Amino acid sequence: LVIDSSGNSTFAGTVLIDGVSNYTGLTVKGSGASRPAVLFENVTQGSLGMIYATEGDAIVINTGTDALTIDSSGNVLVGTDTVLAGGVNRGNITINGASNSILTFGIAGVLQGYLYHYGSEMVLNTGTGALNFEVNNVERFRIDTSGNSTFAGNVNIDNASSISKLTIEAGI
């Protein structure tokens, strides 16, 4: 451990934090306008990012810009610090890209599908699988990989009538 004349400490090796009560951890305190932060640096690359707390009790992960924010309401914000579609008692995940946004789904490191918005269109891509809509754990609508659609139950048109089968044929 080296403490310089300014009071800065440098540790050579691993720092172990071990509590003796039910709270174990590292407390980082700021005062005045400074915000508490944990800064990650590399000797050759410099600053790699930081985790800091804001006055509004948000936790922010910053890698040059605020990349991820978890605010005091539990909202998860990616690429922004503002909830775009908020509400009381509503959990929220906001993804705010500069020109488009994407939410991807993968299994074992392989892309399985995504929800993507670019400018004026929203795309839901299921990769190589079908798209199923379920209500109360029962499949109600399916689009298979050939583009065929299957409805379970009645098809209501304009909420005025209910028919059990809707058939549309070419030439009619």
Side-chain angles (χ1 to χ4, degrees), residues 47 82 116 139 152:
S47 178
T82 304
Y116 175 66
E139 184 178 301

Side-chain angles (χ1 to χ4, degrees), residues 50-128:
M50 72 172 98
I51 300 172
Y52 66 89
T54 67
E55 289 182 26
D57 295 326
I59 300 297
V60 178
I61 298 176
N62 179 300
T63 56
T65 60
D66 290 351
L68 175 70
T69 301
I70 303 173
D71 70 15
S72 60
S73 296
N75 297 311
V76 177
L77 310 168
V78 179
T80 184
D81 60 1
T82 304
V83 174
L84 298 178
V88 177
N89 298 323
R90 179 188 305 171
N92 187 311
I93 297 175
T94 297
I95 301 172
N96 188 33
S99 61
N100 54 59
S101 296
I102 189 166
L103 177 62
T104 58
F105 301 89
I107 297 174
V110 177
L111 178 66
Q112 300 297 315
Y114 56 84
L115 181 60
Y116 175 66
H117 194 281
Y118 59 97
S120 61
E121 291 188 28
M122 179 75 75
V123 175
L124 175 60
N125 184 305
T126 62
T128 59

Side-chain angles (χ1 to χ4, degrees), residues 17-54:
I17 300 169
D18 190 9
V20 293
S21 65
N22 62 351
Y23 178 79
T24 300
L26 172 67
T27 300
V28 180
K29 294 183 178 182
S31 63
S34 70
R35 56 184 175 204
V38 176
L39 179 64
F40 299 91
E41 291 187 347
N42 181 293
V43 173
T44 57
Q45 296 173 305
S47 178
L48 300 175
M50 72 172 98
I51 300 172
Y52 66 89
T54 67

Side-chain angles (χ1 to χ4, degrees), residues 139-162:
E139 184 178 301
R140 302 298 184 181
F141 175 59
R142 168 187 288 260
I143 302 172
D144 68 20
T145 57
S146 298
N148 298 317
S149 301
T150 305
F151 292 88
N154 295 333
V155 176
N156 294 319
I157 300 174
D158 202 26
N159 290 329
S161 64
S162 180

